[in-house]
Amino acid sequence: MEPFVYTVNPSRVVFGSGTLKQLPRELQRLSLTSPLILCTPQQTSQANAVASLLRDASIAPAGLFEKATMHTPTNVTAEAQSQLASLAADSLISIGGGSTIGLGKALSIRTGLHHICIPTTYAGSEMTPILGETEDGRKTTRSDPKILPGTVIYDVDLTMTLPTGMSATSGVNAIAHAVEAAYAVNRNPITTLLAVEGIRALAESLPVIVKDTANREAREKALYGAWLCGACLGTVGMSLHHKLCHTLGGSFNLPHAQTHTIVLPHALAYNLPSLSEEVRLKLGRAFPGADGDAVKGLNELLEKLGVERSLKAYGLKEEDVERASEIAMEREYPNPRKLVKEEIREVIRRAWAGEPARADL
């Protein structure tokens, strides 16, 4: 076995059904009494339910900020920080998906306040010390142990009403973390185990959820898989897929989970020829019925989920493909295969057109 480095991220995870009720206890354990609750405009009802739960436990929230936005724009963070400065808040609670959790991370790293995450999707951001922020049309990322949320409460009940479309794309977004973790330059045996188990759990559960959104066993398995995939993202570096998605999301304002869903099989197909046989087999076997072929497994999974396969459906223009490839090539980053602009442009074009992924570049 080759030497490796594995970093254990020190976050506390509470997982199960009905675990939201443990939130007051978690605050009391930390001697926190005045949290600012964060959400998107679409999730104010859930944020208000959290506030009500806390008041019933004699904990008075400092306030509610309900403007969390996709890709964590710095101007929204500045507005939230201004509100935070006017309050006597001693902590942050984010309830929602990647947009809200991203805002919580941005505020936490700026203020040092303890951040409690309550995920309602399968995004996985809650398990990473990584923050992606958008300013002037460019999305950049940074990693710092202080960005990692201190506490994560996974409550399966909060995902039971997640629409099937968002369940599917959010779940594939989580799979993307594990796929790239499996071939990361700083991969290690522990992260690879988590990656394969996370992919398998989601690949098995997501098709069931699409057919039966109220299937509790599938929902539990999906949330478990998302947790593992998020943990992968938090311990190793990412490659081409995440770079492309940050480019497309930050510079062209494409929806986060949907973009990850569309790009993933194409990015994997590009890197596949440069992966070791061991990694190819581990990834391929994580997808049930794929005969050891991860690209085939992803193509078939997306077909089962009935998700949109083209970026043009979300507003990317054909003339944007060239610009996207230029941005994606501006800075070097680790990737299993050498990046060639003409080939990256073709990867983006195929994703734009909605073609099935194929490893022939």
Side-chain angles (χ1 to χ4, degrees):
M1 181 179 293
E2 295 182 1
F4 64 90
V5 174
Y6 175 62
T7 301
V8 180
N9 288 325
S11 59
R12 175 177 170 87
V13 174
V14 180
F15 188 100
S17 174
T19 48
L20 179 61
K21 296 176 182 177
Q22 297 185 37
L23 176 60
R25 188 187 313 163
E26 290 299 312
L27 287 167
Q28 292 161 357
R29 183 181 65 84
L30 296 162
S31 299
L32 299 172
T33 60
S34 185
L36 175 66
I37 303 171
L38 311 171
C39 67
T40 63
Q42 295 77 28
Q43 292 186 291
T44 54
S45 61
Q46 289 181 313
N48 286 328
V50 167
S52 178
L53 173 69
L54 295 181
R55 284 192 289 267
D56 288 345
S58 300
I59 298 174
L64 170 66
F65 185 84
E66 55 189 29
K67 298 180 183 179
T69 306
M70 184 172 62
H71 305 305
T72 319
T74 54
N75 64 304
V76 175
T77 301
E79 183 180 352
Q81 190 170 1
S82 177
Q83 178 176 326
L84 188 61
S86 68
L87 302 170
D90 61 5
S91 54
L92 302 160
I93 296 175
S94 60
I95 180 164
S99 298
T100 307
I101 293 169
L103 175 60
K105 288 177 164 183
L107 291 172
S108 178
I109 190 63
R110 286 165 168 80
T111 64
L113 295 180
H114 189 89
H115 180 196
I116 298 177
C117 287
I118 307 168
T120 60
T121 71
Y122 306 131
S125 174
E126 66 278 356
M127 293 305 299
T128 78
I130 302 167
L131 172 62
E133 298 181 283
T134 304
E135 184 172 13
D136 298 328
R138 292 295 180 94
K139 188 169 186 177
T140 58
T141 61
R142 56 173 165 153
S143 181
D144 187 315
K146 296 177 182 177
I147 293 172
L148 183 73
T151 307
V152 181
I153 297 178
Y154 287 108
D155 190 335
V156 176
D157 297 355
L158 297 178
T159 68
M160 295 300 296
T161 57
L162 187 66
T164 56
M166 180 53 68
S167 297
T169 56
S170 179
V172 178
N173 178 19
I175 288 174
H177 309 330
V179 167
E180 290 224 302
Y183 56 65
V185 293
N186 57 341
R187 66 184 181 275
N188 59 76
I190 309 304
T191 298
T192 300
L193 284 171
L194 297 176
V196 171
E197 175 67 6
I199 293 170
R200 181 179 293 113
L202 283 159
E204 291 175 350
S205 60
L206 292 177
V208 178
I209 290 171
V210 167
K211 291 182 178 179
D212 179 10
T213 186
N215 188 302
R216 180 169 290 275
E217 182 179 353
R219 288 289 188 183
E220 289 175 348
K221 183 181 286 189
L223 192 58
Y224 164 73
W227 169 21
L228 297 182
C229 292
C232 293
L233 178 62
T235 57
V236 296
M238 297 288 107
S239 304
L240 174 63
H241 168 77
H242 281 76
K243 176 63 175 180
L244 291 180
C245 290
H246 287 160
T247 296
L248 293 163
S251 298
F252 300 94
N253 201 35
L254 298 188
H256 183 82
Q258 292 88 338
T259 300
H260 275 267
T261 298
I262 294 167
V263 170
L264 179 59
H266 297 284
L268 175 60
Y270 181 81
N271 279 326
L272 199 67
S274 297
L275 304 184
S276 68
E277 182 178 0
E278 178 186 9
V279 172
R280 288 200 302 269
L281 284 174
K282 285 182 177 179
L283 281 174
R285 289 169 180 167
F287 293 92
D291 302 321
D293 183 339
V295 174
K296 175 186 176 184
L298 269 170
N299 279 330
E300 291 180 349
L301 177 61
L302 298 193
E303 286 296 318
K304 290 178 184 177
L305 299 181
V307 293
E308 176 59 53
R309 301 291 299 271
S310 71
L311 294 174
K312 62 182 177 182
Y314 293 106
L316 190 73
K317 299 179 177 64
E318 188 170 11
E319 55 265 32
D320 293 333
V321 172
E322 178 65 26
R323 180 62 182 144
S325 64
E326 291 174 355
I327 297 172
M329 294 293 295
E330 282 180 351
R331 296 181 183 177
E332 291 188 14
Y333 47 91
N335 192 66
R337 179 176 173 180
K338 179 179 174 59
L339 302 178
V340 178
K341 182 185 174 184
E342 292 73 19
E343 295 174 345
I344 297 306
R345 185 191 186 284
E346 176 60 12
V347 168
I348 298 173
R349 188 205 64 77
R350 292 178 182 183
W352 168 82
E355 299 175 4
R358 55 189 189 277
D360 61 354
L361 287 177

